[in-house]
């Protein structure tokens, strides 16, 4: 059991938002369901008062959490080599391969990044989500930051919410972009297909910046920077503007292009995952204040894809 005490103030951007939604937006390491349970149990106060989850908050109001976290007992430690590229007393940086699920779930109880992290650092069982601050999809490769303690997880989550952690990605999209741009469109659960995400007005703010790295005949190599970190954000936003990621079977579709070499068409059709890689991560260390920058080279399958398109 771990006791936590967190104090945050409502930023201007969340003025008028529901209490539970506002707190969930700031404390991204905890689920909204857990935060709602805390509010209902009286473990969270708004300007010193216990209020209902749906109460609208105002700028500069103070939200204080005093709660108990139970140890995650159903996530088992598992011996597995973790591609750690940096580690200190506060945090570590992982270069996640394709095919690795981040958290154990009904369909993936073992073999996940969290299982491996619990073997590497058993004390992560006392940290929510085993220290995970932001996630990558199973088939997305690249850099992730993991906190070693609850206070560090809270600090890093606040930095992500304040856009103080810069995350950059590379992807290959279907279609030929003329120029870079920005997608500013809210993302939430799909109204009919609840396991998917979509652009909809009831969603949360989502902002994606993109620029062209290289154009091919009918595809584009793109560099993407995130201001927010919504589920499937890059995949949803790029599909929303008509440029789905190569290999994205969920939000994209294979588009047959006339006049192409049949072998290339077959290769693109069979590309096994979304062509998305978290390549750069930059932030100020929360403890030492030293500037940190980490880079991950494109994985071999991504490089091979680019060679085929050339």
């Amino acid at each position: 059991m771990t006791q936590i005490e967190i104090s945050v103030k409502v930023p201007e951007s969340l003025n008028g938002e529901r209490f539970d939604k506002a707190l969930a937006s700031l404390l991204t390491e905890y689920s909204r369901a857990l935060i709602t349970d805390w509010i209902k149990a009286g473990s969270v106060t708004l300007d010193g008062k216990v209020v209902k989850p749906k109460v609208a908050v105002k700028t500069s109001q103070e939200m204080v959490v005093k709660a108990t976290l139970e140890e995650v007992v159903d996530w088992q430690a598992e011996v597995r080599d973790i591609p750690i590229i940096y580690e200190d007393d506060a945090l570590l940086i992982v270069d996640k391969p394709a095919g690795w699920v981040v958290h154990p779930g009904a369909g993936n109880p073992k073999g996940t990044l969290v299982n491996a992290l619990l073997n590497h650092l058993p004390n992560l069982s006392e940290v929510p989500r085993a220290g995970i601050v932001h996630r990558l999809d199973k088939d997305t490769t690249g850099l992730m930051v993991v906190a070693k303690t609850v206070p560090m997880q809270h600090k890093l989550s606040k930095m992500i919410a304040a856009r103080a952690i810069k995350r950059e990605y590379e992807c290959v999209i279907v279609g030929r972009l003329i120029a870079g741009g920005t997608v500013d469109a809210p993302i939430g659960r799909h109204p009919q297909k609840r396991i998917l995400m979509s652009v909809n007005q009831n969603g949360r703010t989502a902002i994606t910046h993109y620029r062209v790295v290289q154009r091919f005949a009918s595809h584009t190599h793109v560099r993407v920077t995130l201001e927010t970190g919504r589920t499937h954000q890059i995949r949803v936003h790029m599909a929303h503007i008509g440029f789905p990621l190569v290999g994205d079977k969920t939000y994209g579709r294979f588009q047959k292009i006339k006049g192409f070499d049949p072998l290339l068409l077959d290769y693109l059709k069979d590309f096994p995952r979304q062509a998305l890689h978290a390549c750069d991560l930059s932030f100020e260390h929360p403890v030492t204040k030293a500037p940190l920058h980490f880079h991950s080279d494109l994985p071999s399958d991504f490089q091979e894809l680019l060679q085929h398109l050339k």
Side-chain angles (χ1 to χ4, degrees):
M1 305 285 280
T2 301
Q3 300 294 322
I4 63 169
E5 184 168 343
I6 302 169
S7 176
V8 292
K9 290 192 175 182
V10 179
E12 187 176 350
S13 61
L14 294 176
N15 183 56
E17 184 62 89
R18 283 174 55 119
F19 186 20
D20 55 353
K21 290 185 68 175
L23 192 56
S25 295
L26 296 173
L27 306 185
T28 55
E29 69 270 36
Y30 308 108
S31 69
R32 183 174 168 187
L34 178 59
I35 286 173
T36 300
D37 288 344
W38 285 344
I39 295 173
K40 290 180 178 178
S43 299
V44 188
T45 57
L46 180 66
D47 277 350
K49 297 179 181 179
V50 175
V51 298
K52 294 182 178 180
K54 65 181 180 180
V55 166
V57 300
K58 297 179 181 178
T59 303
S60 297
Q61 283 188 304
E62 185 179 32
M63 301 181 285
V64 176
V65 179
K66 294 182 180 180
T68 301
L69 290 173
E70 295 184 3
E71 182 175 338
V72 181
V73 296
D74 55 336
W75 290 355
Q76 301 299 316
E78 185 177 335
V79 178
R80 192 177 189 187
D81 290 335
I82 309 174
I84 297 172
I85 65 171
Y86 174 84
E87 183 172 8
D88 61 26
D89 292 339
L91 55 88
L92 55 87
I93 305 295
V94 175
D95 194 352
K96 189 184 87 65
W100 281 47
V101 175
V102 173
H103 288 102
N108 299 281
K110 298 180 179 180
T112 71
L113 176 60
V114 163
N115 295 125
L117 285 170
L118 290 173
N119 178 70
H120 178 67
L121 294 169
N123 288 343
L124 285 179
S125 63
E126 301 175 1
V127 183
R129 305 190 185 204
I132 301 295
V133 177
H134 61 108
R135 293 177 294 178
L136 294 178
D137 298 333
K138 174 183 177 182
D139 291 323
T140 298
T141 54
L143 301 174
M144 294 178 59
V145 59
V146 180
K148 288 188 172 183
T149 65
V150 172
M152 180 54 54
Q153 188 181 48
H154 177 56
K155 288 179 181 178
L156 290 170
S157 296
K158 287 182 68 176
M159 289 172 67
I160 288 179
R163 302 170 185 174
I165 296 181
K166 186 177 182 181
R167 292 167 289 163
E168 294 188 74
Y169 297 74
E170 292 191 43
C171 62
V172 178
I173 60 169
V174 180
R176 203 165 190 271
L177 275 174
I178 297 175
T182 296
V183 184
D184 185 350
I187 291 177
R189 289 289 171 189
H190 193 287
Q192 285 82 42
K193 303 174 183 178
R194 300 300 294 172
I195 63 172
L196 303 184
M197 308 303 288
S198 67
V199 169
N200 65 75
Q201 294 307 308
N202 294 322
R204 298 169 68 186
T205 299
I207 302 172
T208 303
H209 305 288
Y210 60 91
R211 63 180 176 84
V212 174
V213 176
Q214 186 174 9
R215 297 182 187 87
F216 304 103
S218 295
H219 295 79
T220 312
H221 180 190
V222 176
R223 183 96 169 187
V224 177
T225 303
L226 294 181
E227 283 199 30
T228 53
R230 308 303 174 215
T231 301
H232 300 170
Q233 179 171 323
I234 294 174
R235 299 165 64 189
V236 170
H237 269 175
M238 297 313 292
H240 175 67
I241 63 173
F243 296 94
L245 271 60
V246 167
D248 192 339
K249 306 299 191 295
T250 302
Y251 298 104
R253 62 185 185 278
F254 178 70
Q255 299 177 0
K256 189 169 183 178
I257 306 168
K258 295 181 179 179
F260 264 54
D261 184 331
L263 293 177
L264 176 57
L265 291 174
D266 288 341
Y267 175 82
L268 292 171
K269 185 176 182 180
D270 294 335
F271 195 74
R273 67 180 184 93
Q274 64 267 8
L276 180 61
H277 177 67
C279 56
D280 286 272
L281 191 63
S282 303
F283 59 96
E284 180 183 273
H285 195 290
V287 176
T288 67
K289 305 305 179 183
L292 300 178
H293 176 254
F294 304 98
H295 174 76
S296 171
D297 292 334
L298 293 175
S300 58
D301 61 345
F302 199 118
Q303 294 184 43
E304 184 181 81
L305 169 63
L306 295 176
Q307 289 300 319
H308 276 275
L309 292 174
K310 287 179 183 177

